[in-house]
């Protein structure tokens, strides 16, 4: 049992935790986002393959492309060749003999090569990465720890040689207090120098909260963003532990509500009312921060908020982002705003030692491989369940996950 405290406008977004199927409203917003992603993908494929979106859509709608010949007919591929034919064509393009070896390097080895400096100037552009669930503490490369990320932003702000900051965000949100700690540092940094928030695949809820004070926001047309909403969730494990496992709980307490957050009983009406008021106030704060950061009216923000998700396409028309572009475009924009001719790029927070990171990645990969062996296709559902059990208190995060296949 999950006890969710929410404000009225955010109801449709948090209902996936409580419903066995999508609500009508959630289905509508997800469909709209998916349609934007599909249209954008079709347009890019049509342009790169010299075809049209209508024929591609018809082929997908009728599952027409069931053979490689059909793929050629619809211009999705250029032809069919064996490996030796591909190698011969490469050698011909390189102007080497048929018996000569191709001088090549594997992708894994190429990724280990030192990154060339774009320039050697004394001035710097700081690229700061904020990835994963937003949480208090240090976090790591897969989570946006407020202490670690805010420290990196502060370091870049106080460094006089850093002339602009690019804040690369890939997050569906998380803890509200941690989000505000990071947002405050972005606000202070934007007062001192240009700060470009660069959205990756998604920057929603808390991911948008931490970014709304940036000088400018850039995203791709298919970035999932928005989800300006707040909720609080408190798992009630009493039924599971008592009825299923046989564990029961007694307590001795000094005050009536000393066991408010234990998770071993249902919330009282008074406790729910307290939390609802807290959620409403936090939501109001969220609206104000977005309105101030985006130079919008609070009422206009509220009209597009309520926890609703938007594609980058819709976000641009609604004023939630300024322009389209990936990380490279965001860096170029930061260079323009800082009016730099020579510069070098630094990445923060500082990355781990390569050997240490390799061992950690290898260990994690091995553990994940074992999980996949045991659970197969069910593996994808483990992380969301794990995240649910870790939630406590007021949250600004996506209450669902979207997987596009």
């Amino acid at each position: 049992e999950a006890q969710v405290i929410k404000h009225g406008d955010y109801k449709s977004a948090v209902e996936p935790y409580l419903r066995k199927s999508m609500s009508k409203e959630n289905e509508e917003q997800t469909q709209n986002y998916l349609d934007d992603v599909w249209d954008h993908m079709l347009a890019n494929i049509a342009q790169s393959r010299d075809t049209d979106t209508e024929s591609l859509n018809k082929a997908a709608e009728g599952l027409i492309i069931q053979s490689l010949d059909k793929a050629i007919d619809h211009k999705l591929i250029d032809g069919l060749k064996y490996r030796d034919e591909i190698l011969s064509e490469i050698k011909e393009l390189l102007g080497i003999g048929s018996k000569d070896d191709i001088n090549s390097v594997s992708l894994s080895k190429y990724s280990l090569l030192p990154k060339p400096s774009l320039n050697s100037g004394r001035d710097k552009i700081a690229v700061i990465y904020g990835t994963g669930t937003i949480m208090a503490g240090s976090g790591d490369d897969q989570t946006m720890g407020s202490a670690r990320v805010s420290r990196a932003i502060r370091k870049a702000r106080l460094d006089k040689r850093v002339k602009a900051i690019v804040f690369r965000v890939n997050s569906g949100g998380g803890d509200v207090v941690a989000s505000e700690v990071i947002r405050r540092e972005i606000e202070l940094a934007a007062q001192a120098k240009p700060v470009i928030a660069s959205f990756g695949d998604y920057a929603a809820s808390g991911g948008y909260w931490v970014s709304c004070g940036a000088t400018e926001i850039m995203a791709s047309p298919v970035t999932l963003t928005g989800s300006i909403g707040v909720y609080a969730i408190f798992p009630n494990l009493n039924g599971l532990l008592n009825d299923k496992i046989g564990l029961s709980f007694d307590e001795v307490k000094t005050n009536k509500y000393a066991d408010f957050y234990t998770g071993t009983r249902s919330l009282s009406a008074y406790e729910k009312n307290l939390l609802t008021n807290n959620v409403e106030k936090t939501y109001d704060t969220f609206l104000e921060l977005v309105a101030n950061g985006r130079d919008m009216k609070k009422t206009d923000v509220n009209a597009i908020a309520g926890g609703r998700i938007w594609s980058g396409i819709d976000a641009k028309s609604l004023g939630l982002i300024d322009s389209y572009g990936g990380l490279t475009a965001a860096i170029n924009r930061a260079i323009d705003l800082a009016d730099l001719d020579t510069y070098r790029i630094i990445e923060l927070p500082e990355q781990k030692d390569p050997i240490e990171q390799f061992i950690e990645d290898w260990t994690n990969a091995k553990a994940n491989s074992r999980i996949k062996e045991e659970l197969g296709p069910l593996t994808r559902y483990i992380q969301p369940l794990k995240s649910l059990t870790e939630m406590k208190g007021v949250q600004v995060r996506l209450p669902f996950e979207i997987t596009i296949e």
Side-chain angles (χ1 to χ4, degrees):
E1 179 187 357
Q3 303 172 84
V4 179
I5 309 300
K6 55 208 179 275
H7 61 76
D9 289 338
Y10 205 43
K11 182 178 179 181
S12 63
V14 300
E15 278 187 341
Y17 277 131
L18 306 177
R19 298 169 60 95
K20 293 183 179 179
S21 60
M22 299 173 72
S23 67
K24 180 181 178 181
E25 295 80 5
N26 194 36
E27 183 177 0
E28 178 185 354
Q29 70 167 355
T30 306
Q31 185 66 59
N32 288 340
Y33 171 71
L34 193 62
D35 287 342
D36 281 346
V37 173
W38 177 242
D39 290 342
H40 181 72
M41 184 174 70
L42 281 182
N44 283 338
I45 294 175
Q47 182 179 11
S48 65
R49 299 305 303 166
D50 191 26
T51 183
D52 61 274
T53 58
E54 184 178 355
S55 61
L56 289 173
N57 199 48
K58 286 182 178 179
E61 185 72 19
L63 296 178
I64 294 174
I65 304 175
Q66 295 293 318
S67 66
L68 294 175
D69 289 336
K70 287 289 185 181
I72 294 175
D73 293 341
H74 285 78
K75 299 184 177 181
L76 293 182
I77 62 175
D78 295 301
L80 303 177
K81 291 188 177 183
Y82 289 103
R83 182 176 183 274
D84 62 288
E85 293 176 308
I86 292 293
L87 292 176
S88 296
E89 185 172 340
I90 293 174
K91 290 178 180 180
E92 184 178 341
L93 291 171
L94 292 174
I96 61 178
S98 60
K99 295 183 179 180
D100 294 332
D101 292 328
I102 298 174
N103 188 14
S104 62
V105 60
S106 67
L107 182 61
S108 59
K109 290 182 179 180
Y110 179 78
S111 65
L112 296 176
L113 293 174
K115 296 179 181 178
S117 174
L118 295 180
N119 217 311
S120 57
R122 287 168 56 85
D123 293 333
K124 296 178 284 188
I125 299 291
V127 178
I128 299 174
Y129 294 93
T131 302
T133 300
I134 302 172
M135 58 196 304
S138 296
D140 51 36
D141 290 342
Q142 283 73 48
T143 56
M144 200 187 309
S146 59
R148 184 172 183 244
V149 174
S150 62
R151 184 166 56 246
I153 299 169
R154 188 161 55 250
K155 179 179 179 180
R157 170 170 62 89
L158 297 176
D159 188 340
K160 294 182 179 180
R161 293 184 181 177
V162 172
K163 301 303 181 180
I165 296 171
V166 174
F167 185 31
R168 180 65 170 178
V169 179
N170 253 312
S171 173
D175 181 79
V176 65
V177 176
S179 297
E180 176 58 10
V181 168
I182 297 171
R183 187 209 63 82
R184 174 59 176 170
E185 288 296 337
I186 288 293
E187 179 183 55
L188 293 174
Q191 293 172 3
K193 58 195 69 177
V195 176
I196 307 298
S198 170
F199 291 172
D201 294 334
Y202 60 116
S205 205
Y208 195 84
W209 182 306
V210 300
S211 310
C212 62
T215 309
E216 292 184 9
I217 299 177
M218 299 182 70
S220 81
V222 296
T223 294
L224 189 157
T225 189
S227 188
I228 300 169
V230 182
Y231 65 94
I233 185 167
F234 294 87
N236 179 9
L237 303 177
N238 187 54
L240 171 65
L241 298 176
N242 194 351
D243 300 338
K244 303 298 182 182
I245 303 178
L247 293 177
S248 59
F249 298 87
D250 288 318
E251 67 279 327
V252 177
K253 51 190 178 182
T254 56
N255 299 93
K256 184 176 181 180
Y257 299 108
D259 60 342
F260 193 4
Y261 293 126
T262 58
T264 57
R265 63 171 177 81
S266 298
L267 297 174
S268 68
Y270 177 73
E271 290 169 327
K272 287 184 178 180
N273 185 58
L274 287 177
L275 288 170
T276 300
N277 290 337
N278 191 8
V279 166
E280 293 285 0
K281 289 179 181 178
T282 304
Y283 179 63
D284 190 67
T285 298
F286 201 168
L287 295 179
E288 288 184 359
L289 292 174
V290 174
N292 292 336
R294 300 300 302 162
D295 193 22
M296 299 171 66
K297 293 181 180 179
K298 186 176 175 181
T299 52
D300 292 338
V301 176
N302 189 42
I304 59 175
R308 178 159 183 169
I309 61 171
W310 303 99
S311 68
I313 296 172
D314 288 333
K316 186 173 185 297
S317 65
L318 294 171
L320 292 177
I321 69 170
D322 295 291
S323 57
Y324 300 139
L327 180 57
T328 300
I331 292 173
N332 290 335
R333 180 57 178 158
I335 294 168
D336 289 341
L337 290 178
D339 194 22
L340 297 178
D341 293 322
T342 60
Y343 62 91
R344 57 193 176 94
I345 293 175
I346 62 170
E347 295 181 337
L348 300 170
E350 294 180 0
Q351 303 299 303
K352 295 179 180 178
D353 177 82
I355 295 179
E356 179 185 354
Q357 186 64 56
F358 172 78
I359 294 174
E360 181 178 313
D361 291 344
W362 180 81
T363 303
N364 291 336
K366 190 174 182 180
N368 291 335
S369 178
R370 292 286 299 276
I371 294 173
K372 289 180 180 179
E373 284 182 18
E374 295 294 331
L375 298 177
L378 297 177
T379 306
R380 66 164 65 175
Y381 303 111
I382 298 302
Q383 186 57 45
L385 290 174
K386 182 175 181 292
S387 297
L388 177 61
T389 61
E390 293 173 348
M391 293 183 198
K392 189 174 183 180
V394 179
Q395 302 288 312
V396 279
R397 76 165 81 193
L398 280 172
F400 52 84
E401 290 195 5
I402 296 178
T403 302
I404 300 177
E405 297 180 337

